[in-house]
Amino acid sequence: MTIKNIRLFGDTVLTKKADEVRDFDKELQQLVKDLTETMLEAPGVGLAAPQIGVSLRVFTYCVEEDKPGHLINPILQLSENRQDGDEGCLSIPGLAFNTDRSYGVIARGKNMYGEDVVIEGSELLARCIQHETDHLDGILFVDRLDTETRKLAMKSIREAEWFGLEKPIVKVSPHDTFGLSI
Ligand code: NI
């Protein structure tokens, strides 16, 4: 088991655009394994490689229990209809805010063996895929909030006990974000 430290808001790797994966090698397969294990242990429903300090376009997700998946070099096609709902992030522990997202998504990319993959999802899976793909572009969910909510979010972040630390001292209960840490 390789559980990696999850990088927190303020770490520059989280605001950087991640690189395309070109080599579908053993190292990449290990990265997918580490991401999956770290996500499940957290627990979270998604985790992007920059969140463990690797600036590559890779993320894992686990929306249906015990069925983790991953996607590499994703390209998204978003539905026009929208969804509302609380969203959290493992890099911003303990906080969740209402975040507007597309209701559905078709995500095209590769698996860790370099094969073409298409994932079609709605509701939480679609939210998760949009959130993780944002991570690969250096965008955090707080960047997607409306002005008022974003102000509130930034205040909460500055006041959070983990802010400015490398990792949280206290393990945050998954219930704080209603299991929506992605
Ligand atoms: Ni996140």
Side-chain angles (χ1 to χ4, degrees), residues 16-181:
K16 200 179 147 197
K17 193 175 159 79
D19 295 328
E20 291 259 322
V21 170
R22 298 190 189 283
D23 300 322
F24 293 82
D25 54 10
K26 280 256 170 340
E27 212 176 314
L28 178 72
Q29 286 149 28
Q30 186 61 48
L31 171 63
V32 170
K33 205 168 166 245
D34 292 348
L35 270 177
T36 304
E37 287 172 355
T38 305
M39 169 183 72
L40 295 176
E41 203 268 346
V45 293
L47 191 65
Q51 291 181 278
I52 60 166
V54 179
S55 197
L56 283 175
R57 301 186 79 75
V58 182
F59 69 77
T60 57
Y61 61 93
C62 189
V63 170
E64 270 180 81
E65 235 173 288
D66 299 330
K67 273 196 200 164
H70 69 278
L71 190 61
I72 295 163
N73 299 342
I75 293 171
L76 306 191
Q77 193 181 324
L78 302 173
S79 74
E80 279 187 21
N81 49 334
R82 316 288 301 174
Q83 59 172 318
D84 259 342
D86 275 342
E87 193 167 311
C89 179
L90 291 170
S91 295
I92 306 177
L95 301 176
F97 294 95
N98 187 57
T99 310
D100 175 65
R101 294 281 187 187
S102 285
Y103 177 79
V105 66
I106 300 169
R108 292 186 169 79
K110 302 278 187 191
N111 66 16
M112 61 179 151
Y113 306 108
E115 298 160 342
D116 289 330
V117 180
V118 181
I119 306 167
E120 218 174 321
S122 58
E123 298 181 2
L124 182 57
L125 178 56
R127 177 179 292 282
C128 174
I129 290 170
Q130 290 168 78
H131 178 111
E132 301 313 332
T133 303
D134 271 353
H135 272 302
L136 308 183
D137 290 325
I139 297 167
L140 297 170
F141 86 97
V142 289
D143 300 324
R144 297 279 187 196
L145 302 175
D146 62 67
T147 316
E148 278 310 300
T149 316
R150 188 179 151 81
K151 268 188 205 163
L152 186 68
M154 295 311 295
K155 186 171 183 286
S156 308
I157 287 171
R158 281 192 301 269
E159 289 170 1
E161 60 178 11
W162 52 263
F163 184 60
L165 300 175
E166 282 217 348
K167 52 190 258 194
I169 300 171
V170 181
K171 192 171 165 64
V172 177
S173 158
H175 301 295
D176 283 5
T177 51
F178 314 103
L180 281 171
S181 282

